[in-house]
Amino acid sequence: MSDDIKISVDPDYFTREKEFTPKDFESDTTSIASRIAQGRIENGRRYQALKEDDYWSPSDEKQFEAQENGTSSTLAQARDHGQLMPPIGTQQQPSVESTSSPPPITWIPPNCVFEVDDVLKEWTWRESFDFIHIRQLLGAFDEEGWAELYKKCYENLTPGGWLEQMEFDVRLHSDDGSLKPDSLLAGWGDNFIGCSARAGRSLKTQETMRGAIEKAGFVDVHENLYKVPLGPWPKDKQLKEAGQLNYLHWLSGLEGYAMWLLTKFGAPEPWSPEEVQVYLAGVRKEIKSTSTHGYGYARRVWARKPTAGEVVKREPVD
Ligand SMILES: C[S@@+](CC[C@H](N)C(=O)[O-])C[C@H]1O[C@@H](n2cnc3c(N)ncnc32)[C@H](O)[C@@H]1O
């Protein structure tokens, strides 16, 4: 080392009281990461701990399994149309998935990255996307939140890129009168739509998403509506398979769908966890009945960001 280079060392650097020390970085990141990974436990279920604002769905293994069954049932029903509707080709692009709590990942494709973050916060990805797919985010945001999310999608898509969203309707129907109007299952959807209205974040996302996507400036808007049977009652093989998967979806998902909304926003006043369990026992019994031929709807909307210079004919917005 040359003599004219002087290195000044503060011998007390690591012992002097300071606002933070290198150790703080370590413990902070560790504790923030583990707090988010552990989530928040309530009534025996784990919920996200990323943001203050609660989200109705648990983020635990049990609910991830239910969601997988739910998605598989819709895709089984919709398979004639394809897994994705936008004409984006079959290239396996690098892909990123955003979620508010880490999923139990046992296998992920090499081109997929999960990011645990609040999707309404600033998006920090540097490159724009060719395609954005949103699925089962029903009841996550109020109108303003949805407008913000679609705005972010619009801004972060390449011109000509596609947005697709797939959502369930939580209400059940039957075409042959087998779903009795006074049954728990017939009242299920409106019960939760009521809870979500009181929570200020409606579960009717499948009804409102198209209008909100159009309002954000997307063009070439399409939609499909699918009937997803509950149970193996249909004669048609494809529908029967969708119904079997949806049956598993309901049985595995019931408690997660119900607990947060009913204990916080149940009518006429919030329900106790025990009341919820009694209700769910009754619902389970009805789901297992072979005489009910129930089904729910799933809706898919897909739309394109205009290309640069494309003239967009817009309806006047009031
Ligand atoms: C009903 S689950 C559906 C999960 C998955 N999209 C699927 O189709 O199986 C809803 C997901 O939305 C995530 N979520 C809710 N609010 C969010 C937010 N503000 N930012 C990011 N993810 C959010 C939750 O973590 C949860 O995993």
Side-chain angles (χ1 to χ4, degrees):
M1 187 182 289
S2 117
D3 281 349
D4 40 298
I5 299 179
K6 298 259 181 314
I7 299 175
S8 119
V9 176
D10 174 357
D12 298 327
Y13 183 84
F14 288 106
T15 50
R16 198 164 359 103
E17 233 179 76
K18 293 193 266 326
E19 280 184 16
F20 54 80
T21 69
K23 201 134 189 63
D24 289 330
F25 283 105
E26 220 177 85
S27 54
D28 266 312
T29 37
T30 317
S31 66
I32 292 166
S34 70
R35 180 171 58 78
I36 290 169
Q38 281 163 12
R40 189 175 47 74
I41 306 294
E42 191 178 293
N43 294 319
R45 304 299 300 265
R46 193 178 70 222
Y47 292 84
Q48 65 86 22
L50 179 70
K51 45 185 231 149
E52 300 277 301
D53 214 8
D54 279 345
Y55 176 61
W56 60 264
S57 177
S59 286
D60 51 19
E61 275 74 8
K62 211 167 158 185
Q63 209 60 20
F64 286 125
E65 184 196 325
Q67 282 155 12
E68 203 165 322
N69 288 331
T71 299
S72 306
S73 67
T74 311
L75 292 179
Q77 207 285 10
R79 70 174 160 230
D80 292 346
H81 295 123
Q83 291 223 344
L84 306 171
M85 288 308 291
I88 53 167
T90 51
Q91 295 166 49
Q92 296 299 299
Q93 303 281 8
S95 135
V96 59
E97 179 150 338
S98 179
T99 169
S100 63
S101 59
I105 301 166
T106 46
W107 180 88
I108 53 165
N111 63 341
C112 179
V113 177
F114 278 88
E115 298 240 347
V116 178
D117 211 340
D118 179 355
V119 80
L120 290 191
K121 290 219 175 117
E122 191 195 343
W123 291 13
T124 48
W125 296 297
R126 287 201 197 132
E127 297 200 24
S128 48
F129 297 97
D130 302 316
F131 173 55
I132 296 177
H133 178 80
I134 302 174
R135 196 172 61 219
Q136 313 307 5
L137 255 187
L138 65 167
F141 312 116
D142 58 14
E143 205 181 318
E144 214 175 290
W146 281 112
E148 178 60 27
L149 178 57
Y150 296 131
K151 179 169 171 271
K152 284 187 169 8
C153 292
Y154 190 94
E155 287 168 356
N156 287 276
L157 274 167
T158 49
W162 288 86
L163 168 68
E164 181 181 55
Q165 183 164 5
M166 199 164 193
E167 299 289 350
F168 286 127
D169 182 349
V170 294
R171 290 164 289 202
L172 280 177
H173 313 268
S174 72
D175 290 336
D176 59 2
S178 60
L179 182 71
K180 301 286 172 237
D182 59 351
S183 63
L184 294 177
L185 273 180
W188 170 271
D190 284 330
N191 190 5
F192 290 98
I193 286 173
C195 291
S196 70
R198 289 185 286 279
R201 283 166 282 173
S202 173
L203 281 172
K204 287 183 173 175
T205 306
Q206 56 89 28
E207 279 178 20
T208 52
M209 59 186 175
R210 180 181 182 138
I213 287 171
E214 282 169 340
K215 212 166 168 183
F218 286 90
V219 296
D220 225 346
V221 186
H222 308 261
E223 79 173 71
N224 275 345
L225 188 64
Y226 305 98
K227 268 186 184 180
V228 190
L230 173 54
W233 57 264
K235 290 204 173 65
D236 173 85
K237 194 165 162 271
Q238 185 166 329
L239 287 177
K240 186 184 275 302
E241 202 177 302
Q244 282 164 334
L245 286 163
N246 201 22
Y247 176 80
L248 293 177
H249 164 223
W250 273 72
L251 288 183
S252 50
L254 274 188
E255 187 189 271
Y257 290 136
M259 192 55 87
W260 190 89
L261 282 164
L262 286 176
T263 55
K264 307 266 192 274
F265 298 100
E269 54 194 38
W271 300 17
S272 69
E274 294 73 28
E275 285 171 322
V276 177
Q277 293 298 0
V278 171
Y279 173 64
L280 295 181
V283 174
R284 264 184 216 108
K285 210 163 146 197
E286 288 187 12
I287 292 177
K288 290 177 181 168
S289 147
T290 49
S291 56
T292 309
H293 305 147
Y295 65 86
Y297 285 106
R299 193 186 300 266
R300 164 144 73 175
V301 169
W302 65 105
R304 183 171 56 79
K305 174 173 173 170
T307 50
E310 182 176 358
V311 179
V312 179
K313 239 178 86 190
R314 275 181 187 265
E315 297 296 322
V317 183
D318 51 333

